[in-house]
Amino acid sequence: MSEKNHVEQWNRCLKIIQDNVPPQTYKTWFLPIKPLKYEDKTLVLQVPSQFFYEFLEEQFIDLLRQAIYKVFGEGSKLMYNVMVVKNPPTSVPLPPHAGTAQTGVARQEVKDVPAHPQISELDSHLKGDYNFDTFIEGESNKLSRSVAEAVALNPAKTIFNPLFFYGASGVGKTHLVNAIGTKIKELYPNKRVLYVSAHLFQVQYTDSVRNNTVNDFINFYQTIDVLIIDDIQEFAGVTKTQNTFFHIFNHLHQNGKQLILTSDRSPVLLQGMEERLITRFKWGMVAELEKPTVELRRDILCNKIRRDGLQFPPEVIDYIAENVSDSVRDLEGIVISIMAHSTIYNRDIDLDLAQRIVKKVTHNENKAVTIDDIIRTVCSHYGLDTSAIHTKSRKRDVVQARQVAMYLAKNYTDLSAARIGSLIGNKDHATVLYACKTIKELREVDKGFQTEMEEIVASLKK
């Protein structure tokens, strides 16, 4: 078939397709396709990207097959030339009938395909002051920091790809992922590193749809060497954004690029997220950043105060560390508030001022929680008498109440495991540690139980 003929035949296919899809769909997904040749009953089409090919195969394969069979004849095959950055064109055959697609790869030189444009300089949007030197290590973040440093030294060369950090707001996730990006830029200046919030990614995608520049959006993200997405939970319920990110994720991962994600919860608790994305989030390393311990909070305060050239009495530092427990961000906010009050009102920085500020800023949200508070709240939730938790009963609800109480005591008080055990059921420290592990794992895999725990914690803080 001549050059002119195969183009004319493809245009006939386009007429059939145009009659079966909305105008915007036709304009976005079919007009950019270029018919390259028709040989050996095989039509070769050039498509702009791997994402483009995957989307066509996923959404329009049946329509394409019908149009090609009608115009070119039954049994005709379809080959795509997918233009991918730094990769040769890839051809994928269309199966002759509905069923399992047989995928093959053929390398072809396409003389008339323009070279990929020069990749422009990239603003990584990294926060330079968030680096490993300013990230204070403690028991609650030791594992996460260790993994982060390994990835920074060898991006995409470790088993930690993707790297998924999760934890409550203010525990240091954003700081840590920026530290990774900053270190990679220092060690590998030529790598394209991009830090972006999930919200900004979604806004960019929406704009690209509105401006009919989705392909440009996809192609840009496919040039990134290290992609850092913060607060990935914000993709929940946004199907089109998830679909687009899914293809970007696949492309980057398959091409040996590093992906780093953060979330306020573990992958299994990401409601409203497609299962195929959740599965990919768990491919590499999933690490939790826990709320900082008293010791870590004290170290963070000392570091900030020293770094800012401030002077705080030891008793003030101890008081803040012991009473502001939710996040590192809260700790830094308290220091700023104390300094402001001290300057404006010409007051010495002392324990009285610290107590006033902490109570005012936290609105008593971080009031001290006692073992008695925990036992009373947990037993009330399970409809048990408070004495039941101290018995040797092995009834399921009693055992779970006891384990939940131990877990909350470990997280909301500064008591040792041995002390918690002695106060809840007169158990040893090993029992407490086992209970904490059991409840933590249950929270990660059981969404219903996670909701239940949130209700108990909410009651505890009232």
Side-chain angles (χ1 to χ4, degrees):
M1 186 176 289
S2 69
E3 171 77 18
K4 185 179 179 182
N5 281 346
H6 83 261
V7 172
E8 288 177 353
Q9 297 285 75
W10 171 245
N11 286 336
R12 286 177 57 200
C13 290
L14 286 179
K15 289 292 292 181
I16 296 171
I17 292 167
Q18 191 173 13
D19 290 338
N20 286 277
V21 296
Q24 188 60 45
T25 300
Y26 175 76
K27 183 178 179 183
T28 302
W29 297 107
F30 294 98
L31 279 186
I33 298 173
K34 296 180 180 177
L36 295 181
K37 61 182 177 180
Y38 183 79
E39 290 178 357
D40 301 323
K41 297 195 72 175
T42 300
L43 175 65
V44 181
L45 299 179
Q46 180 191 316
V47 292
S49 67
Q50 179 73 16
F51 167 78
F52 204 102
Y53 152 68
E54 289 178 0
F55 193 89
L56 286 174
E57 285 287 290
E58 188 175 306
Q59 300 293 329
F60 303 113
I61 188 63
D62 289 337
L63 178 58
L64 273 167
R65 182 186 294 114
Q66 290 167 12
I68 290 168
Y69 284 178
K70 189 166 185 177
V71 175
F72 287 88
E74 284 285 336
S76 293
K77 296 178 183 178
L78 172 62
M79 301 284 279
Y80 299 96
N81 268 94
V82 182
M83 304 309 297
V84 181
V85 183
K86 297 181 182 177
N87 281 281
T90 301
S91 298
V92 184
L94 176 77
H97 296 285
T100 305
Q102 302 169 354
T103 302
V105 176
R107 296 187 177 181
Q108 308 183 129
E109 288 297 326
V110 184
K111 303 293 184 182
D112 57 343
V113 177
H116 198 277
Q118 184 75 25
I119 295 176
S120 59
E121 286 297 312
L122 175 70
D123 179 356
S124 294
H125 295 289
L126 292 165
K127 302 172 184 177
D129 53 335
Y130 282 2
N131 53 56
F132 286 119
D133 291 338
T134 57
F135 187 86
I136 310 303
E137 182 179 316
E139 283 302 314
S140 61
N141 61 28
K142 190 172 184 177
L143 172 64
S144 296
R145 183 196 173 108
S146 176
V147 171
E149 288 182 324
V151 168
L153 292 175
N154 292 291
K157 297 293 192 295
T158 71
I159 59 173
F160 311 131
N161 191 22
L163 176 55
F164 189 105
F165 289 124
Y166 73 95
S169 176
V171 295
K173 302 185 299 295
T174 297
H175 189 145
L176 193 54
V177 296
N178 272 271
I180 298 172
T182 300
K183 191 67 175 179
I184 291 173
K185 287 298 291 180
E186 178 188 319
L187 296 174
Y188 308 94
N190 293 327
K191 284 199 179 292
R192 288 169 63 80
V193 180
L194 180 64
Y195 166 84
V196 62
S197 68
H199 174 71
L200 180 57
F201 181 96
Q202 189 177 329
V203 169
Q204 291 173 344
Y205 171 69
T206 303
D207 286 345
S208 74
V209 172
R210 186 181 301 117
N211 298 323
N212 197 29
T213 56
V214 173
N215 288 331
D216 293 339
F217 173 82
I218 300 297
N219 290 336
F220 165 75
Y221 272 95
Q222 289 182 342
T223 69
I224 304 301
D225 296 308
V226 180
L227 179 59
I228 304 168
I229 305 276
D230 209 357
D231 292 321
I232 199 78
Q233 75 275 358
E234 294 197 17
F235 283 173
V238 192
T239 306
K240 291 183 178 178
T241 302
Q242 287 183 42
N243 285 340
T244 303
F245 181 67
F246 171 80
H247 293 292
I248 290 172
F249 182 107
N250 274 358
H251 175 87
L252 294 180
H253 197 271
Q254 289 167 6
N255 284 277
K257 310 302 182 183
Q258 180 71 50
L259 291 120
I260 303 168
L261 313 167
T262 78
S263 171
D264 64 357
R265 67 206 77 172
S266 67
V268 295
L269 296 176
L270 286 170
Q271 297 178 343
M273 198 74 75
E274 289 191 20
E275 191 60 38
R276 60 180 181 170
L277 271 179
I278 292 174
T279 300
R280 281 159 177 76
F281 293 164
K282 296 187 289 185
W283 272 354
M285 176 70 181
V286 176
E288 179 182 12
L289 275 80
E290 299 175 0
K291 288 171 64 175
T293 60
V294 172
E295 292 76 15
L296 179 56
R297 298 199 295 268
R298 189 178 289 114
D299 289 344
I300 290 169
L301 283 168
C302 289
N303 179 270
K304 177 172 177 56
I305 289 165
R306 183 175 60 252
R307 194 172 71 239
D308 293 349
L310 308 176
Q311 295 291 327
F312 275 44
E315 64 270 19
V316 171
I317 294 174
D318 289 343
Y319 178 80
I320 298 172
E322 290 165 4
N323 290 276
V324 182
S325 60
D326 272 1
S327 75
V328 175
R329 203 172 291 127
D330 288 348
L331 291 174
E332 296 181 342
I334 291 292
V335 170
I336 293 168
S337 295
I338 289 175
M339 287 304 301
H341 279 74
S342 171
T343 303
I344 293 169
Y345 298 109
N346 195 27
R347 286 196 52 175
D348 290 335
I349 295 174
D350 56 19
L351 188 57
D352 180 60
L353 177 61
Q355 289 172 336
R356 287 171 180 268
I357 298 301
V358 167
K359 288 175 182 175
K360 186 180 295 185
V361 172
T362 61
H363 301 291
N364 293 320
E365 288 177 5
N366 300 314
K367 69 181 181 71
V369 175
T370 67
I371 284 282
D372 287 341
D373 292 333
I374 291 170
I375 292 173
R376 187 166 51 251
T377 303
V378 171
C379 287
S380 173
H381 179 83
Y382 286 100
L384 300 171
D385 189 272
T386 53
S387 60
I389 212 167
H390 301 297
T391 67
K392 293 183 179 181
S393 172
R394 300 302 301 167
K395 287 183 178 178
R396 186 177 180 280
D397 56 346
V398 174
V399 171
Q400 186 159 81
R402 190 184 299 126
Q403 289 181 332
V404 168
M406 289 175 174
Y407 173 84
L408 293 174
K410 192 77 174 68
N411 281 273
Y412 289 94
T413 75
D414 294 320
L415 299 174
S416 67
R419 183 62 178 152
I420 291 170
S422 68
L423 293 171
I424 303 178
N426 197 26
K427 305 294 183 181
D428 59 21
H429 79 285
T431 302
V432 175
L433 295 178
Y434 175 77
C436 292
K437 180 174 181 290
T438 300
I439 297 301
K440 181 181 176 182
E441 290 176 351
L442 196 55
R443 290 186 73 166
E444 291 177 356
V445 300
D446 188 331
K447 294 178 182 178
F449 182 72
Q450 167 69 4
T451 302
E452 194 175 319
M453 286 295 293
E454 289 172 356
E455 291 172 359
I456 294 173
V457 169
S459 298
L460 185 62
K461 290 187 172 182
K462 283 183 180 176

